[in-house]
Amino acid sequence: EAQVTQNPRYLITVTGKKLTVTCSQNMNHEYMSWYRQDPGLGLRQIYYSMNVEVTDKGDVPEGYKVSRKEKRNFPLILESPSPNQTSLYFCASSLGTSFTEQYFGPGTRLTVT
Amino acid sequence: EDQVTQSPEALRLQEGESSSLNCSYTVSGLRGLFWYRQDPGKGPEFLFTLYSAGEEKEKERLKATLTKKESFLHITAPKPEDSATYLCAVQANRGSTLGRLYFGRGTQLTVWP
């Protein structure tokens, strides 16, 4: 089954404690991306990757890091989380930048206290 | 600045009452416009891609259309299971930002029996 998986699905943490949210896809997609979704603001792109070792900033990259060492995985790293990073995070993948049939993961709800 | 505006923010329809959702955009050269459906607590699900003015796509009770400045998602004879948030996103035709997707804030549709 074609899918994008994220872990963990729920996370409560404290300010400043480094964390990583993993994202993996099983469709051999070249393109992957991270979004955050906040009430009243919609989906905003954090980072994206066009291929292995190629990453670029989206609308709201501050406070986040990503890496793409292999095609299937695209982890999101928060090195020093702050309360304003409390949000619902989605990972997505597609075959390329045509975005036809872009698949989203189930989401990770992060709370930073 | 690339921008996507969706209206209305919320729409309540009685089962069978057809209507349309609007997505207006400002982007310097449209490469693609995308519609997604999002159910509560889940990731967005891809519906349609539109590339050029005049293009139409259909899927069951949904039909998406595109003009040079906006897109409409027409819902014909909706059923309660069509209740969801519908998201619109655009991709600009700029080589340096092909990986960027700009989302609107969505229209929350409720269809009651």
Side-chain angles (χ1 to χ4, degrees):
Chain A
E1 180 193 352
Q3 60 181 355
V4 178
T5 57
Q6 295 179 227
N7 282 293
R9 294 288 315 280
Y10 302 91
L11 180 60
I12 300 174
T13 190
V14 296
T15 299
K17 185 176 180 182
K18 182 179 178 179
L19 66 92
T20 298
V21 183
T22 65
C23 173
S24 182
Q25 49 93 4
N26 64 358
M27 296 163 280
N28 202 36
H29 283 170
E30 291 183 347
Y31 178 93
M32 297 185 75
S33 185
W34 276 103
Y35 298 87
R36 61 177 289 174
Q37 189 171 40
D38 301 289
L41 294 178
L43 271 169
R44 293 179 292 168
Q45 198 170 25
I46 303 171
Y47 270 96
Y48 62 93
S49 170
M50 309 268 275
N51 213 327
V52 176
E53 302 291 2
V54 180
T55 62
D56 214 338
K57 297 177 181 178
D59 292 318
V60 287
E62 295 77 19
Y64 304 95
K65 284 179 61 174
V66 292
S67 67
R68 187 93 181 274
K69 291 184 169 47
E70 48 189 342
K71 206 170 190 178
R72 64 182 293 125
N73 296 323
F74 190 44
L76 180 69
I77 303 158
L78 285 72
E79 297 214 322
S80 184
S82 62
N84 64 11
Q85 293 178 297
T86 293
S87 187
L88 180 58
Y89 291 86
F90 290 103
C91 180
S93 76
S94 65
L95 193 57
T97 54
S98 65
F99 291 114
T100 301
E101 300 279 356
Q102 178 168 213
Y103 291 84
F104 280 78
T108 295
R109 187 166 292 281
L110 172 65
T111 302
V112 184
T113 61
Chain B
E1 182 182 324
D2 300 326
Q3 201 165 7
V4 181
T5 303
Q6 291 188 247
S7 62
E9 288 185 16
L11 181 62
R12 285 179 55 87
L13 298 174
Q14 188 169 15
E15 185 172 3
E17 179 187 1
S18 301
S19 188
S20 296
L21 282 53
N22 177 264
C23 171
S24 64
Y25 60 91
T26 54
V27 63
S28 52
L30 179 72
R31 182 176 175 93
L33 184 142
F34 311 89
W35 282 98
Y36 293 85
R37 169 192 170 124
Q38 186 175 23
D39 293 301
K42 295 190 174 182
E45 177 186 344
F46 171 82
L47 291 174
F48 302 112
T49 305
L50 300 166
Y51 294 108
S52 56
E55 191 174 359
E56 298 183 353
K57 294 274 179 73
E58 280 190 71
K59 182 180 181 178
E60 296 180 359
R61 295 177 292 283
L62 300 176
K63 183 168 84 171
T65 62
L66 181 65
T67 72
K68 286 189 176 179
K69 291 195 181 297
E70 57 192 349
S71 176
F72 293 93
L73 185 64
H74 308 277
I75 303 176
T76 302
K79 298 182 178 181
E81 53 261 42
D82 295 322
S83 297
T85 296
Y86 291 86
L87 303 172
C88 171
V90 300
Q91 179 190 23
N93 196 13
R94 291 192 297 271
S96 61
T97 61
L98 281 179
R100 295 285 297 275
L101 265 189
Y102 302 92
F103 278 83
R105 298 180 183 185
T107 293
Q108 186 175 1
L109 174 67
T110 304
V111 182
W112 48 285

